[in-house]
Amino acid sequence: MASLSINNVCKTYNNGTDVLKGIDIAIDDGQFLILVGPSGCGKSTLLNMIAGLDDISSGDIRIGERRVNDLSPKDRDIAMVFQSYALYPSMSVRQNISFGLEIRKQPKAEIDATVNRVAEMLQITHLLERKPSQLSGGQRQRVAMGRALARNPSIFLFDEPLSNLDAKLRVEMRTEIKLMHQRLRSTIVYVTHDQIEAMTLGDRIAVMKDGIVQQFGSPQEIYDNPANLFVAGFIGSPSMNFIPATVVESAGGLGVKVCDDHGCVVLPLPHNRAKLSAWIGKEVIFGIRPEQITDARTAHREGLPQMDCHVKVIEPTGPDTLIFVTLNETKVCCRAHPTEAKRPGDAMQLVFDVSKAVLFDPKTEVRIA
Amino acid sequence: MANKLSVGRLLVYAALVLVAVYYLMPLYVMLTTSFKTLDDIRQGNLLSLPQAWSPDAWSKAWSSACTGIECGGMKGFFMNSVRMTVPAVLISTMIGAVNGYVVSMWRFKGSDALFTMLLVGCFIPFQVVLLPMAQLLGWLGIANTTTGLVLVHVIYGTAFTTLFFRNFYVTVPDELVKAGRIDGAGFWTIFFRILLPVSGPIFVVCIIWQFTQIWNDFLFGVVFAAGESQPITVALNNLVNTSTGVKEYNVDMASAIIAALPTLFVYMVAGRYFVRGLTAGAVKG
């Protein structure tokens, strides 16, 4: 096991495109790092660079105390699980797992012991003599993990390992990966475009876009305190509501004014007045998550601002029902208890919990408060 | 689905049968003629069966027919063709496999340009290279030898085999190579242990193609080989053109079939693996 630090790493292709523009990330030994972002954000490139499959244009990557910039993949003490699993098609599961050990010239008895131990841990012992083509998607996934585990590397790299599985299996394997991490306390770098995987698995999340780390922090930090509009919208499902609204003076503080076709309400802001005084009378983007707009029964608390809103669409998900209303001419999603949800066309009393609301500059999309 | 024959169906089948007959007719004529005696040929109809099946024309074609002034039959030239075709096919296929592996999996600066140039090699007409190639073979001291012919066919075939293998390897996920590199395998280990075992289908395609091309080649054979080292295609031409009074159609036919048998054989043996091998890989779910 080892820590990983990435210092000011850049990647420029020969044709001049900057894929990565100065990445700084550091994690401790045993941490689970998630690189998440939309496609084309550079997360897979960064992973390939950690693996040594891609050159670094400038900057440093260190695994433990070693600078690995110029080491070839095999000397970096890493193992990787690929999106397509990349199992060697002509080899049996056993050979797939032992291949890397054989190349490293481990003694035969040791290899056999390792393969058996790993197979048992992943419950694939009965599959050892099969070819990859005879395995289901989930089984292939396990074999790919087994191949990485057998090597016992300092760092595991996962490149969207679950995206080829069906929804149910994906959730199961997610839990297994987390379990494996808890048991082995291994250092893991995991690339995904799925923000739910990012939230559930990671100790640390780096949200990337356009070759830049937009925010680096723990999942809860990123969820509660997004650094900018992109991060706020990317993390969380359904995503945060962004309501254009004007900052106004309200009883004893500042608030934002939101209107439905029934009427308006001023939602008091919890933020420090000094921070926002420059914005009085100006339009900001008011960000509030769906679970912070709900029915009175779910809200539990007295004295929160509330408003009757015209329900446009409802989407029952089972545990909650999503209510869509229109505030300041923007579609807004609210999360309510199923029994409290009204029908489309009716008016419904919604309670706003503004304690975690955030504000963004509409031009720069940077967080104001 | 209705089983009964509709008029449309009937027309389709009739057309197919007609085309099949048209295609098989020459083969039928060749086969029957080769088993006829000369008298039989003179008296009978082109399409009639032999009055008595005689293997004489076949043994004459194999061992004593005259090609020019030599009268040793086809057997020596048959072996020439084998000695030329087998090494040329194997060498060009192996070079193509390595080339294809490099231009698809180990892209380097200029690898696309290199591949394009190789591709152009497929379109160079034979005639254009005849004179320079003759000069080159002369310098190397292998003019008029089977080795010289092997070299010519290897050089010419590499463009095609590279194209075949490159197009096959671009369909193999490059994550396989990445996984190999991370496991610590080098260039050749990845090639031999990971990629070659899944390359069966493309080897079959490549070998069929190269075998047919090289075995059937006439131009290079007639230009770059002389006398003793001529391949069978050139010998067949000489045999048919050599007449000592009587035209021995039965011997001509038997010789032509002998010259064509190996390519037929390769199709029959390898064709099965061709179909079978296509879906073997299965890398992804």
Side-chain angles (χ1 to χ4, degrees):
Chain A
M1 303 303 121
S3 60
L4 169 73
S5 77
I6 300 167
N7 305 319
N8 197 21
V9 161
C10 299
K11 175 74 183 173
T12 310
Y13 281 123
N14 290 334
N15 60 11
T17 31
D18 290 326
V19 189
L20 296 176
K21 303 162 190 164
I23 304 289
D24 284 298
I25 295 173
I27 54 164
D28 296 333
D29 183 8
Q31 280 194 320
F32 199 133
L33 167 68
I34 305 274
L35 303 177
V36 66
S39 54
C41 72
K43 57 192 191 299
S44 288
T45 310
L46 183 58
L47 193 75
N48 279 336
M49 285 161 70
I50 298 171
L53 296 167
D54 223 334
D55 295 331
I56 302 167
S57 302
S58 68
D60 275 335
I61 294 181
R62 283 169 195 280
I63 295 174
E65 293 306 306
R66 272 194 316 163
R67 181 172 176 273
V68 297
N69 283 28
D70 304 313
L71 293 181
S72 69
K74 67 175 177 359
D75 299 322
R76 294 193 180 195
D77 198 15
I78 45 152
M80 190 155 169
V81 176
F82 294 91
Q83 182 177 5
S84 70
Y85 319 137
L87 299 179
Y88 309 128
S90 62
M91 301 183 197
S92 67
V93 169
R94 180 186 293 282
Q95 288 166 323
N96 259 287
I97 298 175
S98 66
F99 184 71
L101 307 176
E102 264 172 57
I103 289 195
R104 286 179 161 73
K105 307 240 176 348
Q106 287 196 8
K108 183 89 178 62
E110 207 174 292
I111 294 178
D112 286 344
T114 307
V115 171
N116 290 335
R117 177 176 55 81
V118 167
E120 217 159 286
M121 189 165 113
L122 293 169
Q123 297 158 15
I124 50 173
T125 308
H126 60 294
L127 305 172
L128 279 176
E129 307 310 324
R130 292 206 199 159
K131 288 280 170 64
S133 54
Q134 297 164 307
L135 303 178
S136 69
Q139 289 169 333
R140 284 176 206 187
Q141 174 65 52
R142 279 168 199 272
V143 176
M145 295 212 337
R147 191 167 63 179
L149 283 173
R151 293 262 316 282
N152 194 24
S154 332
I155 295 189
F156 287 94
L157 307 176
F158 286 85
D159 190 2
E160 308 211 15
L162 303 182
S163 53
N164 281 348
L165 299 177
D166 63 57
K168 185 164 177 290
L169 208 50
R170 196 178 309 162
V171 175
E172 280 174 33
M173 289 306 292
R174 199 169 72 198
T175 316
E176 282 199 39
I177 291 176
K178 184 133 196 181
L179 202 64
M180 181 194 95
H181 177 243
Q182 284 171 0
R183 195 146 45 136
L184 302 175
R185 299 310 314 170
S186 38
T187 312
I188 296 180
V189 182
Y190 186 109
V191 164
T192 180
H193 61 261
D194 179 350
Q195 52 85 22
I196 298 183
E197 268 174 38
M199 287 295 290
T200 50
L201 286 172
D203 290 326
R204 314 285 281 158
I205 298 180
V207 183
M208 295 177 63
K209 186 192 165 204
D210 299 336
I212 294 170
V213 174
Q214 304 287 323
Q215 190 171 6
F216 177 57
S218 73
Q220 204 60 50
E221 244 170 72
I222 286 180
Y223 190 79
D224 289 340
N225 280 311
N228 57 37
L229 196 70
F230 170 76
V231 175
F234 191 79
I235 299 289
S237 173
S239 59
M240 185 186 273
N241 297 302
F242 298 124
I243 309 168
T246 310
V247 179
V248 294
E249 299 269 6
S250 82
L254 296 176
V256 286
K257 192 176 178 194
V258 292
C259 299
D260 169 61
D261 40 16
H262 288 295
C264 294
V265 66
V266 171
L267 303 173
L269 291 170
H271 310 97
N272 189 337
R273 191 191 164 100
K275 227 172 172 180
L276 282 173
S277 52
W279 289 91
I280 296 170
K282 291 184 186 154
E283 191 168 270
V284 294
I285 291 176
F286 174 68
I288 184 164
R289 295 207 179 267
E291 65 268 25
Q292 290 154 3
I293 313 174
T294 184
D295 58 275
R297 182 178 149 193
T298 310
H300 279 311
R301 298 213 320 260
E302 297 294 322
L304 293 175
Q306 47 182 265
M307 175 182 184
D308 281 339
C309 294
H310 186 98
V311 177
K312 297 282 197 271
V313 177
I314 63 168
E315 289 180 358
T317 64
D320 310 302
T321 294
L322 302 179
I323 315 269
F324 290 88
V325 298
T326 306
L327 295 176
N328 289 3
E329 280 142 30
T330 307
K331 193 172 87 171
V332 171
C333 175
C334 322
R335 181 170 265 170
H337 193 272
T339 55
E340 303 295 307
K342 296 285 190 296
R343 301 163 55 79
D346 293 352
M348 177 173 171
Q349 189 193 51
L350 293 173
V351 179
F352 294 77
D353 176 1
V354 290
S355 61
K356 286 181 173 176
V358 288
L359 297 180
F360 300 97
D361 183 327
K363 285 202 190 69
T364 62
E365 304 195 343
V366 175
R367 173 95 176 265
I368 307 167
Chain B
M1 281 296 176
N3 266 333
K4 60 182 178 194
L5 290 171
S6 64
V7 180
R9 276 275 126 156
L10 220 56
L11 279 175
V12 169
Y13 283 125
L16 285 176
V17 168
L18 208 68
V19 172
V21 168
Y22 183 78
Y23 245 76
L24 288 172
M25 189 60 76
L27 183 66
Y28 167 81
V29 172
M30 282 177 74
L31 264 177
T32 51
T33 309
S34 73
F35 283 105
K36 287 176 182 172
T37 60
L38 273 178
D39 285 340
D40 194 353
I41 293 172
R42 271 193 290 272
Q43 290 158 13
N45 176 310
L46 189 67
L47 295 177
S48 67
L49 284 170
Q51 285 163 357
W53 292 78
S54 152
D56 293 350
W58 283 80
S59 62
K60 185 171 183 191
W62 181 247
S63 57
S64 66
C66 295
T67 55
I69 49 167
E70 297 281 327
C71 287
M74 301 288 278
K75 65 169 184 285
F77 303 107
F78 187 90
M79 289 319 292
N80 277 349
S81 272
V82 171
R83 273 197 293 271
M84 168 188 76
T85 308
V86 171
V89 168
L90 293 183
I91 295 170
S92 62
T93 304
M94 281 315 295
I95 294 177
V98 176
N99 279 355
Y101 169 55
V102 171
V103 294
S104 58
M105 297 295 186
W106 297 85
R107 302 245 170 97
F108 51 91
K109 220 175 181 174
S111 64
D112 283 343
L114 182 83
F115 177 62
T116 314
M117 286 194 285
L118 268 169
L119 259 190
V120 172
C122 298
F123 305 113
I124 295 177
F126 280 20
Q127 294 83 337
V128 172
V129 299
L130 287 181
L131 292 177
M133 187 61 85
Q135 184 68 261
L136 179 70
L137 293 179
W139 282 334
L140 293 175
I142 48 175
N144 294 339
T145 62
T146 304
T147 318
L149 272 182
V150 169
L151 181 72
V152 174
H153 283 300
V154 167
I155 292 173
Y156 220 91
T158 299
F160 286 94
T161 54
T162 301
L163 174 68
F164 286 142
F165 277 96
R166 183 262 180 196
N167 284 355
F168 179 76
Y169 287 139
V170 292
T171 66
V172 174
D174 58 357
E175 290 190 342
L176 272 183
V177 173
K178 289 185 182 174
R181 286 173 66 193
I182 286 178
D183 269 346
F187 181 85
W188 292 109
T189 313
I190 293 174
F191 181 59
F192 284 113
R193 297 275 313 268
I194 299 172
L195 285 176
L196 270 198
V198 297
S199 310
I202 197 64
F203 264 100
V204 173
V205 170
C206 204
I207 285 173
I208 289 182
W209 171 267
Q210 280 297 88
F211 192 94
T212 315
Q213 289 294 307
I214 297 174
W215 184 275
N216 287 342
D217 167 69
F218 179 77
L219 185 63
F220 286 156
V222 83
V223 174
F224 299 131
E228 292 289 273
S229 64
Q230 280 173 347
I232 196 165
T233 44
V234 178
L236 177 66
N237 174 62
N238 294 348
L239 182 140
V240 173
N241 288 333
T242 305
S243 53
T244 47
V246 187
K247 190 106 190 92
E248 294 179 297
Y249 289 109
N250 49 0
V251 177
D252 292 354
M253 295 301 181
S255 304
I257 294 172
I258 288 173
L261 272 181
T263 41
L264 270 178
F265 177 76
V266 165
Y267 272 109
M268 279 186 226
V269 172
R272 269 189 316 163
Y273 296 99
F274 181 63
V275 180
R276 194 192 295 168
L278 275 178
T279 52
V283 177
K284 217 163 175 175

